[in-house]
Amino acid sequence: MTVWNNLKIRAKLSLGFGAILAIIATIAVFSFTNRSSLWKDETQQDDVYAFRKTLMQTKVTHYEWLTAIGSSVFQDSLATCSVESDPEKCDFSEWLDSSDRANFEKMFPEEKDLLNNLEKSHTALHSTFATMKSAIETEKTNPGGTDIRQQYLKTLLPQAEDFVTCVNLIQKPVEDRIDTLNNRMKEFMTRTQYMMLGLFITTLIIGLVLSQAIVRSVVPPLHSLVSVADEIAAGELKQWRVDFERADEIGGLYRSFSHMHARLLDMAQTLQKISEGQLNASISPTSPSDIIGNTLYAMIRNLRDLAGNIANGATTLAASSAETAASATQLSASTTESAATISETTATMEEVRQTASIMSNNASSVAENARQGGAMANQSRDRVKDISDAIKLISSRMDFIAQHTVQLSEKSQKIGEIISVVNDIADQSNILAVNASIEAAKAGEEGKGFAVLAEEIRNLAEQSKQATKEIKAILDDIQKATAATVMATEEGSKAVAKGEQQAETVSKVILDLASSVSNSSRSADTIASSAREQLKGIEQVTQAMESIRTTSQQNKESARQLDETSSSMKNLGQDLMRLVQRFKL
Amino acid sequence: MSPVSDPPLFPHGEASRQERILRARARVLAEKPIERTANKAGHEVVEFFLGSEKYAIETRFVQEFFLAGAILPIPCTPPFILGVVSRRGRILSVLDLGGFLPGTVPHVTPKDKYTPLVVLRHEGMELALAVDRVGVVNHVTEEHLTSRNEAVPAALAPYVMGLTPEPMTILNAATLLSEPTLKVSD
């Protein structure tokens, strides 16, 4: 039993499977040997069956052959009978000449004489018929005569009986050989069945025995290890000792498991020390690939660094907490101040919103005015065109006036010349009247009447002169007025031309103005829409400011809470410092 | 005689220039003509103007007035001789009284055409005085004449017969025509 237990599991399994494989190989060899013998018998049986079939067909064929000849003989139609008369052309003769005959003689050597007799009988049979047929053909014999019938009855029929007898004699050993072969094959099959059954039972027994032996040597120790592993998995690392010694894999597994258990126990004890704050505990990794050992070693080292850092951090935290508390107080004050400022800003934004609303309305009014201005500019453009047309009409009228004023001036010149002539005539008349008066005065009393007449003439001349003077004055006025009119007309024409030019300029200006006003209208529309957008934006800003104000109130509360939290943090830092001091570095 | 305001000719309108002319003309026509009675001693004179001054010459020395065309200047003659003109086949010297009478300066500027000339004649002496404007034939009584010794400078006295209150200077044509400086001997 100790030997079995010390045997390796691989050896045990190899032993079991080897025994089973040996039995299977025995079965295979036995089966192959029997199969070879069986195959030989089957081949021989096929040949024997073929012989029997040939013999039986030969009997049937020659029965039919004989019957046909008999019918022809007794019906007197032998001459026309078409049955084969040549023994060499018969099917049986072909079999006799084939390799099958040699095979038969090889298989049945004692029946060789019988086969020769059969061949002779067959040849005699066909020869008799050939004789009969040739006699008929040569007309030596009456076809319906008794000779032929006698020859048939006394020669051919007995030959035929001999032939059948020979066939039966040969068929007898063939039948015996068939029976022999069948019996032998049955016996072989029975023997094979028993042998297979015995081998199966043997294999079953060996398999069961070996499997039980292997299971009993492997499973109980594994169960024990599984229970220990479950305890380790559950964290129960109690003292455990290997209580048996084995040289197989199970023993190796027990030893490895024991090492692992000891190692885990060592680590657990180290971790327990760490958990108690003894960070001076040490552990040595077994190798660079010892993940747990290396990790634990790094963990202890990191914990030491961490504890040191936490201690420093706690110190810093305590100081920072004090500063944070001060800053939180300051933040609280600033937040309060900021909340007040945000409230003011919110109020200001409300005012801005109202102003933006007014501005938006004004922008809309401006846009409307700009549209009206555009319409007025278009009307102005039409009016300026009317004015331009009117100025052109005035220009033509001014030309007309200038032309007629020049003519008037020329006429005035003519009148002046005529007046000058009339004035000269008046002067002459005056002088003549004076001369008449002189002459009347010289005549004395007789010339007094003439003197009166001359005086009247002189008066008329004087009046004429006065009238011409007045006319001259009037004419001078007319000429001055005409000259002034000419001047005014020229100036008017120039002014009209200038006005026309200016009207064109104004028209261009009005067009530009209309375009500009149109652009202004579009710009005003854009401004109005922008103002509306701005108003919306300002309203959103106002809402945002309201949100900011709310948030600022919340911030104020948060600052107060931060103040409290910073005080708590300060206490926390001090607590942390006390906690860290518990670690032994 | 106090001035009487005339009733308006056009009661429903302002006094126009036409109305003023008509009124002035009516006023002139309404003046009483100078009495030319033979009973009153006086002189028939012909009035003319030199500039703004009014002169007169007795009609018995006056041949005629006429409007002279171009006056032909004569070289080497005194400045008061304006030149000569042709009148009905006769050559007349044209005298400028402004430069001729003592204490005066040449006055009459020859016009381009139709210079009024008054033709004087006395005892074979005939000349033409250039005047500015011809007046009327008037009768000046002695009572209207002022003595020449009272208002006229001594040098001018021989050429002046008297002065009227208008004032109007009545020239002494006989003295004037007898003036030796007017005679050209060679």
Side-chain angles (χ1 to χ4, degrees):
Chain A
M1 192 64 187
T2 307
V3 175
W4 175 252
N5 280 340
N6 287 331
L7 205 59
K8 300 275 186 187
I9 293 173
R10 185 176 60 186
K12 291 171 186 170
L13 290 174
S14 299
L15 189 64
F17 282 109
I20 292 169
L21 281 173
I23 293 167
I24 291 170
T26 306
I27 292 170
V29 169
F30 180 73
S31 299
F32 181 75
T33 308
N34 287 343
R35 175 62 194 159
S36 176
S37 173
L38 189 64
W39 180 74
K40 197 184 288 179
D41 289 344
E42 281 177 353
T43 306
Q44 194 174 2
Q45 193 177 26
D46 290 342
D47 291 340
V48 173
Y49 275 118
F51 293 152
R52 188 175 70 172
K53 183 181 175 184
T54 303
L55 291 173
M56 289 177 75
Q57 278 183 348
T58 302
K59 276 199 292 186
V60 172
T61 304
H62 284 87
Y63 271 131
E64 290 173 352
W65 179 78
L66 189 65
T67 305
I69 292 170
S71 299
S72 300
V73 167
F74 288 103
Q75 290 175 1
D76 297 331
S77 60
L78 189 62
T80 60
C81 183
S82 62
V83 298
E84 189 55 55
S85 59
D86 188 0
E88 296 300 324
K89 291 182 180 178
C90 182
D91 292 337
F92 184 63
S93 295
E94 289 178 1
W95 182 83
L96 288 174
D97 294 336
S98 68
S99 61
D100 291 339
R101 178 178 179 176
N103 195 15
F104 180 82
E105 287 175 355
K106 184 180 178 183
M107 197 178 291
F108 299 98
E110 65 274 12
E111 308 300 338
K112 197 172 179 179
D113 295 334
L114 283 176
L115 189 60
N116 290 328
N117 291 333
L118 181 61
E119 187 179 2
K120 288 176 183 172
S121 175
H122 179 254
T123 305
L125 191 66
H126 281 281
S127 299
T128 303
F129 174 64
T131 306
M132 289 170 65
K133 198 171 181 180
S134 61
I136 294 300
E137 286 173 355
T138 55
E139 294 179 353
K140 291 176 179 176
T141 307
N142 188 5
T146 55
D147 294 336
I148 291 303
R149 290 176 186 172
Q150 289 296 322
Q151 196 173 356
Y152 174 74
L153 291 172
K154 291 183 178 179
T155 306
L156 197 58
L157 278 179
Q159 286 179 343
E161 285 174 2
D162 290 339
F163 177 73
V164 171
T165 303
C166 287
V167 170
N168 288 335
L169 287 172
I170 290 174
Q171 192 174 355
K172 180 74 169 54
V174 171
E175 293 291 342
D176 293 341
R177 179 66 63 89
I178 287 170
D179 292 339
T180 305
L181 286 172
N182 283 337
N183 292 330
R184 198 164 68 187
M185 284 177 73
K186 276 181 186 175
E187 185 186 352
F188 173 78
M189 290 300 290
T190 306
R191 193 172 66 240
T192 302
Q193 282 176 359
Y194 284 125
M195 191 165 187
M196 291 296 286
L197 184 64
L199 284 173
F200 174 73
I201 290 166
T202 307
T203 305
L204 194 64
I205 289 165
I206 290 170
L208 282 173
V209 169
L210 283 174
S211 65
Q212 281 300 311
I214 291 168
V215 166
R216 287 181 183 228
S217 69
V218 170
V219 172
L222 286 179
H223 274 304
S224 175
L225 277 177
V226 165
S227 63
V228 174
D230 286 341
E231 288 175 0
I232 290 170
E236 297 177 13
L237 279 172
K238 56 190 179 185
Q239 290 296 331
W240 179 70
R241 194 176 59 81
V242 182
D243 54 355
F244 68 96
E245 286 293 333
R246 277 172 61 157
D248 62 347
E249 288 89 345
I250 297 296
L253 183 61
Y254 260 77
R255 283 188 294 279
S256 299
F257 208 80
S258 176
H259 290 321
M260 186 189 78
H261 181 269
R263 182 74 180 157
L264 284 175
L265 195 63
D266 188 19
M267 287 178 184
Q269 287 168 353
T270 305
L271 285 172
Q272 193 172 5
K273 286 179 183 175
I274 290 166
S275 70
E276 290 167 356
Q278 296 177 13
L279 294 178
N280 52 1
S282 65
I283 190 164
S284 301
T286 56
S287 68
S289 59
D290 181 8
I291 296 172
I292 296 175
N294 284 314
T295 307
L296 198 59
Y297 177 75
M299 188 186 80
I300 291 167
R301 199 177 55 198
N302 291 335
L303 276 175
R304 281 179 194 156
D305 296 342
L306 191 63
N309 290 335
I310 287 171
N312 294 332
T315 308
T316 309
L317 178 64
S320 300
S321 298
E323 291 178 4
T324 306
S327 300
T329 308
Q330 192 176 352
L331 176 64
S332 179
S334 301
T335 307
T336 307
E337 191 177 349
S338 170
T341 307
I342 286 167
S343 296
E344 290 177 5
T345 307
T346 305
T348 307
M349 279 311 296
E350 178 61 25
E351 291 176 3
V352 169
R353 190 189 65 76
Q354 291 176 1
T355 309
S357 176
I358 293 167
M359 192 179 78
S360 176
N361 293 330
N362 289 341
S364 298
S365 302
V366 167
E368 183 62 28
N369 289 336
R371 276 194 288 276
Q372 291 178 359
M376 287 174 70
N378 289 328
Q379 290 178 0
S380 300
R381 189 180 55 197
D382 298 339
R383 294 294 171 272
V384 166
K385 189 174 181 306
D386 294 343
I387 287 169
S388 182
D389 295 341
I391 285 173
K392 283 178 183 170
L393 186 64
I394 289 169
S395 178
S396 64
R397 291 291 182 271
M398 285 300 292
D399 290 342
F400 184 77
I401 288 168
Q403 191 178 352
H404 284 79
T405 306
V406 169
Q407 289 180 2
L408 185 63
S409 179
E410 290 172 356
K411 293 288 191 299
S412 298
Q413 291 288 340
K414 289 281 185 187
I415 291 169
E417 291 173 3
I418 292 166
I419 285 168
S420 180
V421 171
V422 170
N423 197 30
D424 290 346
I425 291 168
D427 284 343
Q428 299 274 0
S429 300
N430 187 32
I431 287 169
L432 281 174
V434 171
N435 289 336
S437 297
I438 291 166
E439 292 301 326
K442 285 178 182 175
E445 283 299 322
E446 289 80 8
K448 279 188 178 175
F450 188 71
V452 172
L453 188 59
E455 183 62 22
E456 289 301 320
I457 291 168
R458 197 195 64 81
N459 284 334
L460 284 173
E462 189 66 29
Q463 288 178 16
S464 297
K465 193 169 175 63
Q466 188 65 30
T468 53
K469 193 177 176 184
E470 292 176 0
I471 288 168
K472 185 74 165 60
I474 291 166
L475 193 64
D476 286 344
D477 291 343
I478 287 171
Q479 283 179 340
K480 285 178 184 172
T482 307
T485 304
V486 169
M487 291 289 289
T489 305
E490 289 180 357
E491 289 177 358
S493 296
K494 289 178 182 174
V496 165
K498 195 173 179 183
E500 197 172 359
Q501 194 175 357
Q502 284 179 349
E504 289 180 1
T505 307
V506 167
S507 178
K508 288 179 181 174
V509 169
I510 289 286
L511 281 173
D512 292 343
L513 179 65
S515 173
S516 177
V517 166
S518 179
N519 290 332
S520 297
S521 176
R522 285 196 290 275
S523 299
D525 283 337
T526 307
I527 289 168
S529 61
S530 299
R532 285 194 290 276
E533 294 293 327
Q534 188 183 16
L535 179 59
K536 286 180 184 174
I538 287 171
E539 284 175 354
Q540 291 174 355
V541 169
T542 306
Q543 292 175 359
M545 282 307 296
E546 186 63 31
S547 301
I548 289 170
R549 193 177 64 79
T550 309
T551 310
S552 133
Q553 293 293 335
Q554 293 173 355
N555 282 345
K556 192 175 164 187
E557 182 63 24
S558 299
R560 192 184 59 74
Q561 292 176 357
L562 181 63
D563 196 6
E564 293 176 4
T565 308
S566 63
S567 297
S568 302
M569 267 179 68
K570 187 178 173 184
N571 297 329
L572 181 66
Q574 291 169 354
D575 294 343
L576 190 61
M577 194 67 192
R578 281 194 294 276
L579 287 171
V580 168
Q581 283 169 355
R582 288 171 55 192
F583 289 110
K584 293 174 184 172
L585 299 177
Chain B
M1 191 172 178
S2 61
V4 179
S5 60
D6 299 319
L9 292 175
F10 301 96
H12 300 295
E14 292 183 359
S16 64
R17 185 167 173 268
Q18 205 170 10
E19 185 178 349
R20 285 199 304 276
I21 292 167
L22 289 173
R23 284 191 184 284
R25 189 177 294 169
R27 202 173 291 119
V28 170
L29 290 174
E31 281 183 356
K32 197 185 241 183
I34 299 169
E35 292 182 8
R36 297 174 184 173
T37 56
N39 296 330
K40 292 185 178 178
H43 307 280
E44 290 288 335
V45 296
V46 178
E47 298 170 358
F48 61 89
F49 295 88
L50 285 171
S52 59
E53 292 183 4
K54 195 173 182 182
Y55 293 91
I57 289 176
E58 285 179 288
T59 55
R60 56 192 177 99
F61 296 106
V62 176
Q63 286 291 311
E64 61 173 343
F65 277 92
F66 75 98
L67 295 172
I71 297 170
L72 184 64
I74 302 298
C76 301
T77 53
F80 50 81
I81 299 297
L82 295 176
V84 295
V85 296
S86 174
R87 179 63 179 171
R88 293 194 179 100
R90 290 173 292 146
I91 302 299
L92 296 173
S93 298
V94 181
L95 178 66
D96 180 11
L97 273 180
F100 175 72
L101 293 176
T104 62
V105 292
H107 180 71
V108 175
T109 304
K111 296 179 179 175
D112 290 337
K113 67 175 194 175
Y114 302 133
T115 307
L117 297 178
V118 54
V119 182
L120 303 178
R121 186 181 181 125
H122 178 66
E123 294 178 351
M125 181 62 183
E126 200 174 38
L127 60 83
L129 284 180
V131 301
D132 283 338
R133 190 157 55 88
V134 179
V136 298
V137 176
N138 213 341
H139 183 77
V140 180
T141 57
E142 285 293 336
E143 59 189 15
H144 286 103
L145 279 176
T146 309
S147 172
R148 61 177 179 267
N149 297 327
E150 294 173 358
V152 178
L156 201 60
Y159 302 103
V160 176
M161 198 168 74
L163 297 171
T164 63
E166 287 183 62
M168 181 172 70
T169 307
I170 300 172
L171 296 173
N172 190 344
T175 309
L176 194 65
L177 288 169
S178 308
E179 181 60 40
T181 56
L182 295 176
K183 291 183 179 175
V184 179
S185 57
D186 49 4

